[in-house]
Amino acid sequence: MGGRPSSFAKSRRTRHLPASLRTAPPAAMSFAPATRLLATRLAARPSAAVSRPGFAAVRALGARWKVTTAVDGSPGTSEYRMRFKDASGSEISPWHDISLFAGETGVYNAIFEIPKNTKPKMEVAIKEPKNPIAQDVKKGKLRDYHGPIFWNYGMFPQTWEDPNVVHPVTKCAGDNDPVDVVEIGSATIAQGTVEPVKVLGVLAMIDDGELDWKVIAISTADPLAKELNDITDVEAKCPGVISGIREWFRWYKTPDGKPLNAFGYGEEALPKAHAIEVLAETHEAWKKLVEGKTDKGKLWLK
């Protein structure tokens, strides 16, 4: 990606979200107006309107292997599947076969399921053979967010939040999924992209009594990546982004009649070191899962 003029850096540092998103909206305020307020602010932000291709060199250990994607079915249908293939053309699992580690301290490979400013709830199908990306289905219907998500959203391969283990601080067990990543860079990252990201911090979201970590990160290719090294840098250089992420995930299920999601650790965004601990712990949980040391339930493993 090309560089941006200095005016971009200045506007990004001084950007603030509306007060209604820096604090919890009143009970009468629906999710849709809240997301529209955030969308209005983010729409004014200079952005590289780039959608990265569905072919990604995985920059791990010298980029010795590559991944391509192939699609079955049409978007917006229950038949849609995005499948991953290695250099030989053999189908692989994005969850199990792509390395978590990108060969650099604090940088990890992330697989992106949902590009920013889109609504379809896409996810790596952890119960299907080879774990392709598919649209989530709830009560027989394809699932969409009620408003667009304003960041690139995906998962970390070779991680698993173990539902059999209760976290000592939050007192909640894992949600039986890979760890989620919220990427805050300026580019739109295409679905299926395997992207090295710089980990910055993490939110301990509690969804229906389950612990669902949300790691905050930025693509190593983003112009701002060199300036962001920990969660305090995000607050200083991108004010309002952390609270925006927190409030989006707090409210996004309420139009379906669900309660607000909660956050552990006093709702703080925890620092980079804690996020790295989360990835280390969930990677170990994944290893136990694939080694057969943990009950897999309905999950598809190699």
Side-chain angles (χ1 to χ4, degrees):
M1 295 190 306
R4 289 179 178 78
S6 59
S7 59
F8 169 79
K10 182 178 179 181
S11 67
R12 189 163 185 174
R13 288 176 174 83
T14 56
R15 185 179 66 253
H16 290 270
L17 292 182
S20 58
L21 285 179
R22 294 198 296 271
T23 57
M29 183 178 185
S30 71
F31 176 74
T35 57
R36 283 199 295 271
L37 284 169
L38 185 54
T40 299
R41 176 61 62 180
L42 292 178
R45 166 188 174 183
S47 174
V50 175
S51 181
R52 298 181 189 171
F55 173 86
V58 182
R59 285 170 271 185
L61 304 178
R64 281 180 273 187
W65 53 288
K66 296 180 180 180
V67 173
T68 58
T69 57
V71 169
D72 297 334
S74 300
T77 69
S78 59
E79 292 77 28
Y80 177 87
R81 297 291 184 276
M82 176 175 279
R83 304 188 183 278
F84 291 72
K85 297 183 179 183
D86 63 16
S88 71
S90 299
E91 187 174 1
I92 62 172
S93 162
W95 183 20
H96 303 303
D97 293 321
I98 294 173
S99 176
L100 168 63
F101 304 100
E104 181 181 345
T105 302
V107 177
Y108 298 84
N109 288 319
I111 298 162
F112 286 92
E113 303 154 311
I114 306 174
K116 68 191 320 185
N117 297 317
T118 63
K119 295 200 301 180
K121 178 67 173 73
M122 313 300 295
E123 60 184 18
V124 169
I126 58 177
K127 296 179 182 179
E128 291 188 19
K130 299 295 184 181
N131 312 122
I133 291 178
Q135 189 165 357
D136 190 24
V137 175
K138 197 147 196 171
K139 297 181 179 179
K141 294 183 179 181
L142 293 172
R143 186 178 168 199
D144 287 284
Y145 292 132
H146 290 274
I149 187 167
F150 305 117
W151 308 274
N152 297 299
Y153 191 58
M155 52 84 81
F156 286 103
Q158 299 184 343
T159 64
W160 181 55
E161 298 191 52
D162 190 344
N164 305 295
V165 175
V166 175
H167 188 269
V169 175
T170 65
K171 308 302 181 185
C172 296
D175 70 349
N176 200 33
D177 280 324
V179 176
D180 297 321
V181 58
V182 183
E183 194 277 335
I184 63 173
S186 57
T188 298
I189 302 179
Q191 183 184 112
T193 300
V194 182
E195 183 78 2
V197 299
K198 191 175 186 180
V199 167
L200 302 170
V202 66
L203 289 164
M205 191 176 91
I206 299 169
D207 182 353
D208 198 22
E210 297 176 333
L211 180 58
D212 185 3
W213 293 106
K214 304 296 182 189
V215 172
I216 299 169
I218 189 167
S219 166
T220 56
D222 193 274
L224 199 60
K226 292 181 180 179
E227 298 182 43
L228 302 181
N229 296 299
D230 213 321
I231 201 66
T232 52
D233 297 326
V234 178
E235 192 59 54
K237 299 178 185 295
C238 308
V241 167
I242 296 171
S243 59
I245 293 169
R246 185 189 299 111
E247 295 311 312
W248 196 94
F249 281 102
R250 189 196 307 278
W251 287 83
Y252 81 106
K253 288 187 176 181
T254 58
D256 295 320
K258 298 287 185 69
L260 297 173
N261 286 326
F263 294 87
Y265 292 90
E267 302 202 343
E268 283 187 55
L270 302 170
K272 175 179 183 174
H274 200 118
I276 289 175
E277 285 180 14
V278 167
L279 292 176
E281 290 172 2
T282 55
H283 180 61
E284 289 302 312
W286 170 83
K287 287 200 291 186
K288 290 179 181 178
L289 176 68
V290 296
E291 290 168 357
K293 297 177 181 178
T294 306
D295 180 17
K296 70 175 185 177
K298 296 181 180 181
L299 301 176
W300 186 87
L301 305 178
K302 294 176 63 176

